Amino acid sequence: MRYMTNRQDAAGADNPIDMSTAHPARRYNYWLGGKDNFAADRESGDAIAAAMPSIRTATLENRTFLQRAVRHLTRAGVSQFLDIGTGLPTADNTHEVAQAINPTARIVYADNDPLVLTHARALLTSSPEGATAYLDADLRDPAAILDDPALRDTLDLTQPVALMLVAILHFIRDDENPRRIIEQLTATLAPGSYVVASHATWDYFSADMIKRLQANNSDQRFCPRSREQFAALLSGISLIDPGMVPVSQWHPDTPETSRPPDADVACYGAVARIA
Ligand SMILES: C[S@@+](CC[C@H](N)C(=O)[O-])C[C@H]1O[C@@H](n2cnc3c(N)ncnc32)[C@H](O)[C@@H]1O
């Protein structure tokens, strides 16, 4: 039996929230200690945690990478963000981090999970001086994101934008052409724009551990990539210092001794600048 709760999307059409299948946003919320998840998400989250005991550490490290990158770019003068794969709102979301430094910062969020949409509309509200907008959109259709009137009303694409692809590219399979998606998005951005990206990897894991993780990925929806494969997705755009590193090592604000081992993080992060 499938359990659904219905909401209506902006066009008035039903967009059901499926509670019987684990969803990435809700599972991620569970690992982060949030309450916006259902039994199926927790079961799936626990099964993955049994195969990868450091998954909660990895999730937290990814989240703090996102926040450090937003802070870094806002201080460098970027005031517009396109955050695709928003996730369920939690503490210190992109607009809060950016607007704490520059209250006029403008942020467009996009996600394809209907529960994220419901929460985001309620919670991702802007400072009075800035703006936030939310798109119910799929990364696999970049043209629809770029042409969305809410994006065009909120962001000035003649000025630099930070495109945030944080912990989302590993949900795009090779046959869905993540490289083409990134090229299509970045081709529209003004010089001086940035791409902030992170990507899960199994580079650090033994064959046994990979086998256990694969057993929890029967639909192949999760596509971890090697460092080289992630680098290939961003090739042609210049990475800023320190390049592609485990997310915990990207401009860390904690001493090395308090950072987790790279194998526990198992996620690369990078920020690239569009010339
Ligand atoms: C692991 S969460 C990451 C959240 C946030 N970016 C972060 O790093 O903290 C991945 C998010 O990407 C969204 N997502 C996955 N595939 C997507 C797609 N094809 N289009 C839009 N959103 C997608 C999920 O719904 C989820 O909210």
Side-chain angles (χ1 to χ4, degrees):
M1 180 190 255
R2 294 175 84 73
Y3 297 93
M4 306 264 193
T5 148
N6 283 316
R7 64 151 182 90
Q8 295 212 305
D9 68 17
D14 276 345
N15 191 348
I17 293 169
D18 178 358
M19 296 191 285
S20 62
T21 309
H23 277 236
R26 303 188 314 235
R27 196 169 47 206
Y28 185 77
N29 171 267
Y30 173 56
W31 287 328
L32 282 175
K35 302 261 177 281
D36 301 312
N37 46 74
F38 302 121
D41 308 308
R42 294 190 286 275
E43 267 165 41
S44 163
D46 287 343
I48 294 170
M52 182 186 168
S54 68
I55 186 69
R56 290 184 177 82
T57 302
T59 308
L60 277 168
E61 290 296 328
N62 174 70
R63 189 73 197 166
T64 51
F65 159 74
L66 178 151
Q67 293 157 351
R68 290 196 305 279
V70 171
R71 226 171 270 130
H72 186 94
L73 295 183
T74 310
R75 286 187 186 128
V78 177
S79 61
Q80 304 193 97
F81 293 82
L82 171 56
D83 185 350
I84 307 179
T86 308
L88 284 156
T90 171
D92 294 333
N93 302 292
T94 297
H95 74 287
E96 289 157 335
V97 176
Q99 291 180 347
I101 298 167
N102 175 2
T104 69
R106 307 171 79 79
I107 291 88
V108 171
Y109 291 107
D111 203 288
N112 69 352
D113 184 316
L115 189 70
V116 172
L117 176 75
T118 313
H119 284 249
R121 287 224 166 105
L123 296 174
L124 300 180
T125 49
S126 173
S127 66
E129 305 91 330
T132 56
Y134 188 87
L135 315 182
D136 185 4
D138 198 299
L139 176 58
R140 290 167 292 184
D141 189 357
I145 295 177
L146 293 167
D147 293 343
D148 194 294
L151 181 145
R152 298 283 173 163
D153 284 351
T154 310
L155 303 181
D156 175 358
L157 295 184
T158 68
Q159 297 301 312
V161 171
L163 167 65
M164 315 278 301
L165 297 172
V166 182
I168 184 173
L169 292 168
H170 47 235
F171 297 113
I172 308 293
R173 294 190 309 255
D174 286 347
D175 65 335
E176 294 168 330
N177 210 338
R179 167 93 186 148
R180 179 197 55 82
I181 293 171
I182 295 171
E183 279 174 352
Q184 215 173 324
L185 288 166
T186 53
T188 311
L189 301 182
S193 292
Y194 290 87
V195 181
V196 177
S198 72
H199 204 298
T201 186
W202 287 349
D203 278 359
Y204 299 92
F205 300 163
S206 66
D208 265 5
M209 188 163 167
I210 291 175
K211 214 166 145 191
R212 287 198 298 278
L213 286 163
Q214 265 161 350
N216 286 295
N217 190 30
S218 49
D219 62 359
Q220 305 292 308
R221 194 61 265 174
F222 180 62
C223 316
R225 291 188 172 88
S226 68
R227 193 176 190 286
E228 289 67 33
Q229 288 168 328
F230 179 34
L233 294 185
L234 297 178
S235 68
I237 340 175
S238 308
L239 302 189
I240 66 169
D241 182 66
M244 186 167 289
V245 290
V247 283
S248 47
Q249 302 204 32
W250 197 90
H251 291 282
D253 49 17
T254 50
E256 195 175 348
T257 46
S258 65
R259 273 178 251 144
D262 296 347
D264 285 0
V265 175
C267 183
Y268 295 116
V271 177
R273 188 172 189 277
I274 297 167

